[in-house]
Amino acid sequence: MLTVDFSRFPLAPGDRVLDLGCGAGRHAFECYRRGAQVVALDQNAEEIREVAKWFAAMKEAGEAPAGATATAMEGDALALPFPDASFDVVIISEVMEHIHDDKGVLAEMVRVLRPGGRIAITVPRYGPEKVCWTLSDAYHEVEGGHIRIYRADQLLERIREAGLKPYGTHHAHALHSPYWWLKCAFGVDNDKALPVRAYHKLLVWDIMKKPLATRVAEQALNPLIGKSFVAYATKPHLPPVDAA
């Protein structure tokens, strides 16, 4: 289940990609399949080990084209272990709402992104996320949980302040908002509640089968209740230096 829309965020074979806060690796895997040179970075050692195993399995199964590379590594988003301008593309999906120093993370992403490079940022959308916070303290008051809810204009202003130029936005995963509302209403750790179990089965069926009806429904509902807000931006080229 991808949050970044690669039709709006084009990726070329050979692009150097950083998936920052990669989690289970869903975007990193897609970039690898598209022929990129991928680095998946996260502070969670257990998830990084699993991502590395999947990279190896994908390579063995021939799922990535020739020339594609993939590395999984632990790292700190506030102190990235890469030189300036190391990447053509940076993706950070559902991460910034967890980090106190979001301006510091943006500064590090801009530093390692080459001029002319592209960045995709996704965060929980304000409206659906506010419902979750209202229904359940346990949803966000946990170690490593969400510490803020971004409004779209607030996130875009953060992006501009970091020196990036936004060029597009959209919403995603409308069908997932009701699931999380149910989880929050019945208890975030209560997976046995009948409405939660029933809706989870619907989501799994949708992800596996990708039926036209649910794709159309989600596309129609995304502007209203999409769970995620997605922003795309570029790093401007530096103005030419006057030799005189």
Side-chain angles (χ1 to χ4, degrees), residues 56-135:
M58 291 173 66
K59 181 177 181 180
E60 185 175 350
E63 291 188 33
T69 62
T71 303
M73 62 185 294
E74 288 182 67
D76 182 354
L78 290 165
L80 295 173
F82 311 110
D84 296 356
S86 296
F87 296 96
D88 303 298
V89 172
V90 176
I91 296 171
I92 184 166
S93 182
E94 311 299 302
V95 173
M96 287 181 58
E97 68 275 10
H98 296 272
I99 299 176
H100 286 277
D101 187 6
D102 58 344
K103 291 184 178 180
V105 171
L106 274 166
E108 272 294 86
M109 290 191 290
V110 172
R111 181 184 68 79
V112 302
L113 185 66
R114 69 164 176 81
R118 305 174 306 286
I119 189 166
I121 299 173
T122 91
V123 297
R125 184 183 186 177
Y126 184 86
E129 184 77 349
K130 190 68 174 179
V131 172
C132 289
W133 283 46
T134 301
L135 290 172

Coordinates of all heavy atoms in Angstrom, one line a residue, residues 56-135:
A56 N 17.0 -8.7 -0.1 CA 17.7 -9.9 -0.6 C 16.8 -10.9 -1.4 O 17.2 -11.4 -2.4 CB 18.4 -10.6 0.6
A57 N 15.6 -11.0 -0.8 CA 14.6 -11.9 -1.4 C 14.2 -11.4 -2.8 O 14.0 -12.2 -3.8 CB 13.4 -12.1 -0.5
M58 N 14.0 -10.1 -2.9 CA 13.6 -9.5 -4.2 C 14.7 -9.7 -5.2 O 14.4 -9.9 -6.4 CB 13.3 -8.0 -4.0 CG 12.1 -7.7 -3.2 SD 11.9 -5.9 -2.8 CE 11.6 -5.2 -4.4
K59 N 16.0 -9.5 -4.8 CA 17.1 -9.7 -5.7 C 17.1 -11.1 -6.2 O 17.3 -11.3 -7.4 CB 18.4 -9.3 -5.0 CG 19.6 -9.4 -5.9 CD 20.9 -9.0 -5.2 CE 22.1 -9.1 -6.2 NZ 23.4 -8.7 -5.5
E60 N 17.0 -12.0 -5.3 CA 17.0 -13.4 -5.7 C 15.9 -13.8 -6.6 O 16.0 -14.6 -7.6 CB 17.0 -14.3 -4.4 CG 17.1 -15.8 -4.7 CD 17.2 -16.6 -3.5 OE1 17.3 -16.1 -2.4 OE2 17.1 -17.9 -3.6
A61 N 14.7 -13.2 -6.4 CA 13.5 -13.5 -7.3 C 13.5 -12.7 -8.6 O 12.6 -12.9 -9.4 CB 12.3 -13.2 -6.5
G62 N 14.5 -11.9 -8.8 CA 14.6 -11.1 -10.0 C 13.6 -10.0 -10.1 O 13.2 -9.6 -11.2
E63 N 13.1 -9.5 -9.0 CA 12.1 -8.4 -9.0 C 12.7 -7.0 -9.3 O 11.9 -6.1 -9.6 CB 11.4 -8.4 -7.6 CG 10.5 -9.6 -7.4 CD 9.7 -9.4 -6.1 OE1 9.3 -8.3 -5.8 OE2 9.4 -10.4 -5.4
A64 N 14.0 -6.9 -9.2 CA 14.6 -5.6 -9.5 C 15.4 -5.6 -10.8 O 16.1 -6.6 -11.0 CB 15.5 -5.1 -8.3
P65 N 15.4 -4.6 -11.6 CA 16.1 -4.6 -12.9 C 17.6 -4.5 -12.6 O 18.1 -4.1 -11.6 CB 15.5 -3.4 -13.6 CG 15.0 -2.5 -12.6 CD 14.5 -3.4 -11.4
A66 N 18.3 -4.9 -13.7 CA 19.8 -4.8 -13.6 C 20.2 -3.3 -13.3 O 19.6 -2.4 -13.9 CB 20.4 -5.2 -14.9
G67 N 21.2 -3.1 -12.5 CA 21.7 -1.8 -12.1 C 21.0 -1.3 -10.9 O 21.6 -0.3 -10.3
A68 N 19.9 -1.8 -10.4 CA 19.2 -1.4 -9.2 C 20.0 -1.9 -8.0 O 20.6 -3.0 -8.0 CB 17.8 -1.9 -9.1
T69 N 20.1 -1.1 -7.0 CA 20.8 -1.5 -5.7 C 19.9 -1.1 -4.6 O 19.0 -0.3 -4.6 CB 22.2 -0.8 -5.6 OG1 22.0 0.6 -5.5 CG2 23.1 -1.1 -6.7
A70 N 20.1 -1.8 -3.4 CA 19.3 -1.6 -2.3 C 20.1 -1.9 -1.0 O 20.7 -2.9 -0.9 CB 18.1 -2.5 -2.3
T71 N 20.1 -0.9 -0.1 CA 20.8 -1.0 1.2 C 19.8 -0.6 2.3 O 19.1 0.4 2.2 CB 22.0 -0.1 1.2 OG1 22.9 -0.4 0.1 CG2 22.8 -0.2 2.5
A72 N 19.8 -1.4 3.4 CA 19.0 -1.1 4.6 C 20.0 -0.8 5.7 O 20.9 -1.6 5.9 CB 18.1 -2.2 4.9
M73 N 19.8 0.3 6.4 CA 20.7 0.7 7.4 C 20.0 1.5 8.6 O 19.0 2.1 8.3 CB 21.9 1.5 6.9 CG 21.4 2.8 6.2 SD 22.8 3.8 5.4 CE 23.8 4.2 6.9
E74 N 20.6 1.3 9.8 CA 20.1 2.1 10.9 C 20.7 3.5 10.8 O 21.8 3.7 10.3 CB 20.6 1.5 12.2 CG 19.8 0.2 12.6 CD 20.3 -0.3 14.0 OE1 20.1 0.4 15.0 OE2 21.0 -1.3 14.0
G75 N 20.0 4.5 11.3 CA 20.5 5.9 11.3 C 19.6 6.8 12.0 O 18.4 6.5 12.3
D76 N 20.1 8.0 12.2 CA 19.4 9.1 12.9 C 19.0 10.1 11.9 O 19.8 10.7 11.2 CB 20.3 9.7 13.9 CG 19.7 10.8 14.7 OD1 18.5 11.2 14.4 OD2 20.3 11.3 15.7
A77 N 17.6 10.4 11.8 CA 17.1 11.3 10.8 C 17.7 12.8 11.0 O 17.7 13.6 10.1 CB 15.6 11.4 10.8
L78 N 18.1 13.1 12.2 CA 18.6 14.4 12.5 C 20.1 14.5 12.3 O 20.7 15.6 12.5 CB 18.3 14.8 14.0 CG 16.8 15.0 14.2 CD1 16.5 15.0 15.7 CD2 16.4 16.3 13.6
A79 N 20.8 13.4 12.0 CA 22.2 13.4 11.7 C 22.5 12.3 10.6 O 23.1 11.3 10.9 CB 23.0 13.1 13.0
L80 N 22.1 12.6 9.4 CA 22.2 11.6 8.4 C 23.7 11.3 8.0 O 24.4 12.3 7.8 CB 21.4 12.0 7.1 CG 19.9 12.1 7.3 CD1 19.2 12.8 6.1 CD2 19.3 10.8 7.6
P81 N 24.1 10.1 7.9 CA 25.5 9.7 7.6 C 25.8 9.8 6.1 O 26.4 8.9 5.6 CB 25.6 8.3 8.2 CG 24.2 7.7 7.9 CD 23.2 8.9 8.1
F82 N 25.5 10.9 5.5 CA 25.7 11.0 4.0 C 26.3 12.4 3.7 O 25.9 13.4 4.4 CB 24.4 10.8 3.2 CG 23.6 9.6 3.6 CD1 22.4 9.7 4.2 CD2 24.2 8.3 3.3 CE1 21.7 8.6 4.6 CE2 23.5 7.2 3.7 CZ 22.2 7.3 4.3
P83 N 27.1 12.5 2.7 CA 27.6 13.9 2.3 C 26.4 14.7 1.7 O 25.4 14.2 1.4 CB 28.6 13.5 1.2 CG 28.9 12.1 1.3 CD 27.7 11.4 1.9
D84 N 26.7 16.0 1.6 CA 25.7 16.9 0.9 C 25.4 16.4 -0.5 O 26.3 15.8 -1.2 CB 26.3 18.3 0.8 CG 26.5 18.9 2.2 OD1 26.2 18.3 3.2 OD2 27.1 20.0 2.2
A85 N 24.2 16.6 -0.9 CA 23.8 16.3 -2.3 C 24.0 14.9 -2.7 O 24.4 14.6 -3.9 CB 24.5 17.3 -3.3
S86 N 23.8 13.9 -1.8 CA 24.0 12.5 -2.1 C 22.9 11.9 -2.9 O 23.1 10.8 -3.5 CB 24.2 11.7 -0.8 OG 25.3 12.2 -0.1
F87 N 21.7 12.4 -2.8 CA 20.5 11.8 -3.4 C 19.7 12.6 -4.4 O 19.7 13.9 -4.3 CB 19.5 11.4 -2.2 CG 20.1 10.4 -1.3 CD1 20.7 10.8 -0.1 CD2 20.1 9.0 -1.6 CE1 21.3 9.9 0.8 CE2 20.7 8.1 -0.7 CZ 21.3 8.5 0.5
D88 N 19.2 11.9 -5.4 CA 18.3 12.6 -6.3 C 16.9 12.7 -5.8 O 16.1 13.6 -6.2 CB 18.2 11.8 -7.6 CG 19.6 11.5 -8.2 OD1 20.2 12.5 -8.6 OD2 20.0 10.4 -8.3
V89 N 16.5 11.8 -4.9 CA 15.1 11.7 -4.4 C 15.2 11.3 -2.9 O 15.9 10.5 -2.5 CB 14.3 10.6 -5.2 CG1 13.0 10.3 -4.5 CG2 14.2 10.9 -6.6
V90 N 14.3 12.0 -2.1 CA 14.1 11.7 -0.7 C 12.6 11.5 -0.5 O 11.8 12.3 -0.9 CB 14.7 12.7 0.2 CG1 14.4 12.4 1.7 CG2 16.2 12.9 0.0
I91 N 12.3 10.4 0.2 CA 10.9 10.1 0.6 C 10.9 10.0 2.1 O 11.7 9.3 2.7 CB 10.4 8.8 0.0 CG1 10.4 8.9 -1.5 CG2 9.1 8.4 0.6 CD1 10.1 7.5 -2.2
I92 N 9.9 10.7 2.8 CA 9.7 10.5 4.2 C 8.2 10.4 4.4 O 7.5 11.4 4.2 CB 10.3 11.7 5.0 CG1 10.2 11.5 6.5 CG2 9.8 13.1 4.5 CD1 11.0 12.4 7.4
S93 N 7.8 9.2 4.7 CA 6.4 8.9 4.8 C 5.9 8.5 6.2 O 6.4 7.6 6.8 CB 6.0 7.8 3.8 OG 4.7 7.5 3.8
E94 N 5.0 9.3 6.7 CA 4.4 9.1 8.0 C 5.4 9.0 9.1 O 5.4 8.1 10.0 CB 3.5 7.8 8.0 CG 2.6 7.7 6.9 CD 1.5 8.8 6.8 OE1 0.8 9.0 7.8 OE2 1.5 9.5 5.8
V95 N 6.3 10.0 9.1 CA 7.5 10.1 10.1 C 7.5 11.4 10.8 O 7.7 11.4 12.0 CB 8.8 9.8 9.3 CG1 10.0 10.1 10.3 CG2 8.9 8.5 8.7
M96 N 7.3 12.5 10.1 CA 7.5 13.8 10.7 C 6.6 14.1 11.9 O 7.0 14.8 12.8 CB 7.4 14.9 9.7 CG 8.6 14.9 8.7 SD 8.5 16.2 7.5 CE 8.4 17.7 8.5
E97 N 5.4 13.5 11.9 CA 4.5 13.7 13.1 C 5.0 13.0 14.4 O 4.5 13.3 15.5 CB 3.1 13.1 12.7 CG 3.0 11.6 12.6 CD 3.4 11.1 11.2 OE1 3.9 11.9 10.4 OE2 3.2 9.9 11.0
H98 N 6.1 12.2 14.3 CA 6.7 11.5 15.4 C 7.9 12.3 16.0 O 8.3 12.0 17.1 CB 7.2 10.1 15.1 CG 6.1 9.2 14.6 ND1 5.4 8.4 15.5 CD2 5.7 8.9 13.4 CE1 4.6 7.7 14.8 NE2 4.7 7.9 13.5
I99 N 8.4 13.3 15.3 CA 9.7 13.9 15.6 C 9.5 15.3 16.1 O 8.9 16.1 15.5 CB 10.6 13.9 14.4 CG1 10.9 12.4 13.9 CG2 12.0 14.5 14.7 CD1 11.7 12.3 12.6
H100 N 10.1 15.6 17.3 CA 10.0 16.9 17.9 C 10.6 18.0 17.0 O 10.1 19.0 16.8 CB 10.6 16.9 19.3 CG 9.8 16.2 20.3 ND1 8.8 16.8 21.0 CD2 9.9 14.9 20.8 CE1 8.2 15.9 21.8 NE2 8.9 14.8 21.7
D101 N 11.8 17.7 16.6 CA 12.6 18.7 15.7 C 12.3 18.5 14.3 O 13.2 18.0 13.5 CB 14.1 18.6 16.1 CG 14.9 19.7 15.4 OD1 14.3 20.6 14.8 OD2 16.1 19.6 15.4
D102 N 11.1 18.8 13.8 CA 10.8 18.5 12.4 C 11.5 19.5 11.5 O 11.9 19.1 10.4 CB 9.2 18.6 12.2 CG 8.6 20.0 12.6 OD1 9.3 20.7 13.3 OD2 7.5 20.2 12.2
K103 N 11.8 20.7 12.0 CA 12.6 21.6 11.2 C 14.0 21.0 11.0 O 14.6 21.2 9.9 CB 12.7 23.0 11.8 CG 11.4 23.7 11.8 CD 11.5 25.1 12.4 CE 10.2 25.9 12.3 NZ 10.3 27.2 12.8
G104 N 14.6 20.4 12.0 CA 15.9 19.8 11.9 C 15.9 18.6 10.9 O 16.9 18.5 10.1
V105 N 14.9 17.8 10.9 CA 14.8 16.7 9.9 C 14.7 17.3 8.5 O 15.3 16.8 7.5 CB 13.5 15.9 10.2 CG1 13.3 14.9 9.1 CG2 13.7 15.1 11.5
L106 N 13.9 18.3 8.3 CA 13.8 18.9 7.0 C 15.1 19.5 6.5 O 15.5 19.3 5.3 CB 12.7 20.0 7.0 CG 11.3 19.6 6.8 CD1 10.3 20.7 7.1 CD2 11.0 19.2 5.3
A107 N 15.8 20.1 7.4 CA 17.1 20.7 7.1 C 18.1 19.6 6.6 O 18.9 19.7 5.7 CB 17.7 21.4 8.2
E108 N 18.1 18.4 7.3 CA 19.0 17.3 6.9 C 18.6 16.7 5.6 O 19.4 16.4 4.7 CB 18.9 16.2 8.0 CG 19.9 16.4 9.1 CD 21.3 16.2 8.6 OE1 21.9 17.2 8.1 OE2 21.9 15.1 8.6
M109 N 17.3 16.6 5.3 CA 16.8 16.1 4.0 C 17.3 17.1 2.9 O 17.7 16.6 1.8 CB 15.3 15.9 4.0 CG 14.8 14.8 4.9 SD 13.1 14.4 4.6 CE 12.3 15.8 5.3
V110 N 17.1 18.3 3.1 CA 17.5 19.3 2.1 C 19.0 19.2 1.9 O 19.5 19.3 0.7 CB 17.1 20.7 2.5 CG1 17.7 21.8 1.6 CG2 15.6 20.9 2.5
R111 N 19.8 19.0 2.9 CA 21.2 19.0 2.8 C 21.7 17.8 1.9 O 22.6 17.9 1.1 CB 21.9 18.8 4.2 CG 23.4 18.7 4.2 CD 24.0 18.5 5.6 NE 23.7 17.1 6.1 CZ 24.3 16.0 5.7 NH1 25.3 16.0 4.8 NH2 24.0 14.9 6.3
V112 N 21.1 16.6 2.1 CA 21.5 15.4 1.4 C 20.9 15.3 0.0 O 21.2 14.5 -0.8 CB 21.3 14.1 2.1 CG1 22.0 14.2 3.5 CG2 19.8 13.8 2.3
L113 N 19.9 16.2 -0.3 CA 19.2 16.2 -1.6 C 20.0 17.1 -2.6 O 20.4 18.2 -2.2 CB 17.8 16.7 -1.5 CG 16.9 16.7 -2.7 CD1 16.6 15.2 -3.2 CD2 15.6 17.4 -2.4
R114 N 20.2 16.6 -3.8 CA 21.0 17.5 -4.8 C 20.1 18.6 -5.3 O 18.8 18.5 -5.3 CB 21.4 16.6 -5.9 CG 20.3 16.1 -6.8 CD 20.8 15.6 -8.2 NE 19.7 15.0 -9.0 CZ 18.9 15.7 -9.7 NH1 18.9 17.0 -9.7 NH2 17.9 15.1 -10.4
P115 N 20.7 19.7 -5.7 CA 19.9 20.7 -6.3 C 19.1 20.2 -7.6 O 19.7 19.4 -8.4 CB 20.9 21.8 -6.8 CG 22.0 21.6 -5.8 CD 22.1 20.1 -5.5
G116 N 17.9 20.5 -7.7 CA 17.0 19.9 -8.7 C 16.4 18.6 -8.3 O 15.5 18.1 -9.1
G117 N 16.8 18.1 -7.1 CA 16.2 16.8 -6.7 C 14.8 17.0 -6.2 O 14.3 18.1 -6.0
R118 N 14.1 15.8 -5.9 CA 12.7 15.8 -5.6 C 12.5 15.2 -4.2 O 13.2 14.3 -3.8 CB 11.9 15.1 -6.6 CG 12.1 15.6 -8.0 CD 11.4 14.8 -9.1 NE 11.7 13.4 -9.1 CZ 12.9 12.9 -9.5 NH1 13.8 13.7 -9.9 NH2 13.1 11.6 -9.5
I119 N 11.5 15.7 -3.5 CA 11.2 15.1 -2.2 C 9.7 14.9 -2.0 O 8.9 15.7 -2.5 CB 11.7 16.1 -1.1 CG1 11.6 15.4 0.3 CG2 11.0 17.4 -1.1 CD1 12.4 16.2 1.4
A120 N 9.3 13.8 -1.4 CA 7.9 13.5 -1.1 C 7.8 13.3 0.4 O 8.5 12.6 1.1 CB 7.5 12.2 -1.8
I121 N 6.8 14.1 1.0 CA 6.5 14.1 2.4 C 5.1 13.7 2.6 O 4.2 14.3 2.0 CB 6.8 15.4 3.0 CG1 8.3 15.8 2.8 CG2 6.5 15.5 4.5 CD1 8.6 17.3 3.2
T122 N 4.8 12.7 3.5 CA 3.4 12.4 3.8 C 3.3 12.4 5.3 O 4.2 12.0 6.0 CB 3.0 11.0 3.2 OG1 3.3 9.9 4.2 CG2 3.7 10.7 1.9
V123 N 2.1 12.9 5.8 CA 1.8 13.0 7.2 C 0.3 12.6 7.3 O -0.5 12.8 6.4 CB 2.1 14.3 7.8 CG1 3.6 14.7 7.7 CG2 1.3 15.4 7.1
P124 N -0.1 12.3 8.5 CA -1.6 12.1 8.7 C -2.3 13.4 8.5 O -1.8 14.5 8.9 CB -1.7 11.7 10.2 CG -0.4 11.0 10.5 CD 0.6 11.8 9.7
R125 N -3.4 13.3 7.8 CA -4.2 14.5 7.5 C -4.9 15.1 8.8 O -5.3 14.3 9.6 CB -5.3 14.2 6.5 CG -6.1 15.3 6.0 CD -7.1 14.9 5.0 NE -7.9 15.9 4.4 CZ -8.8 15.7 3.4 NH1 -9.0 14.5 3.0 NH2 -9.4 16.8 2.9
Y126 N -5.1 16.4 8.8 CA -5.6 17.0 10.0 C -6.9 16.5 10.5 O -7.1 16.1 11.6 CB -5.6 18.6 9.8 CG -6.1 19.3 11.1 CD1 -5.1 19.6 12.1 CD2 -7.4 19.6 11.4 CE1 -5.5 20.3 13.2 CE2 -7.8 20.2 12.5 CZ -6.8 20.5 13.5 OH -7.2 21.2 14.6
G127 N -7.9 16.5 9.6 CA -9.3 16.2 10.0 C -9.4 14.7 10.5 O -9.8 14.5 11.7
P128 N -9.1 13.7 9.7 CA -9.2 12.3 10.2 C -8.3 12.1 11.4 O -8.7 11.3 12.3 CB -8.7 11.5 9.0 CG -9.0 12.3 7.8 CD -8.8 13.8 8.3
E129 N -7.1 12.7 11.5 CA -6.3 12.5 12.6 C -6.9 13.2 13.9 O -6.8 12.6 15.0 CB -4.9 13.1 12.3 CG -3.8 12.9 13.4 CD -3.2 11.5 13.4 OE1 -3.8 10.6 12.8 OE2 -2.2 11.3 14.1
K130 N -7.5 14.3 13.8 CA -8.1 15.0 14.9 C -9.2 14.1 15.5 O -9.4 14.0 16.7 CB -8.7 16.3 14.5 CG -9.2 17.2 15.6 CD -8.0 17.7 16.4 CE -8.5 18.7 17.5 NZ -7.3 19.2 18.3
V131 N -10.0 13.4 14.6 CA -11.0 12.5 15.1 C -10.4 11.4 15.9 O -10.9 11.1 17.0 CB -11.8 11.9 13.9 CG1 -12.7 10.8 14.4 CG2 -12.6 13.0 13.2
C132 N -9.3 10.8 15.5 CA -8.6 9.8 16.2 C -8.1 10.3 17.6 O -8.3 9.6 18.6 CB -7.4 9.2 15.4 SG -7.8 8.3 14.0
W133 N -7.6 11.5 17.6 CA -7.1 12.0 18.9 C -8.3 12.3 19.9 O -8.1 12.1 21.1 CB -6.3 13.3 18.7 CG -4.9 13.2 18.2 CD1 -4.5 12.3 17.2 CD2 -3.8 13.9 18.6 NE1 -3.2 12.5 16.9 CE2 -2.7 13.4 17.8 CE3 -3.5 14.8 19.6 CZ2 -1.4 13.9 18.0 CZ3 -2.2 15.3 19.7 CH2 -1.2 14.8 18.9
T134 N -9.4 12.7 19.3 CA -10.6 13.0 20.1 C -11.1 11.7 20.7 O -11.6 11.7 21.9 CB -11.6 13.7 19.3 OG1 -11.1 14.9 18.8 CG2 -12.9 14.0 20.1
L135 N -11.2 10.6 19.9 CA -11.7 9.4 20.4 C -10.9 8.6 21.3 O -11.4 7.8 22.2 CB -12.0 8.5 19.1 CG -13.2 8.9 18.2 CD1 -13.2 8.0 17.0 CD2 -14.5 8.8 19.0

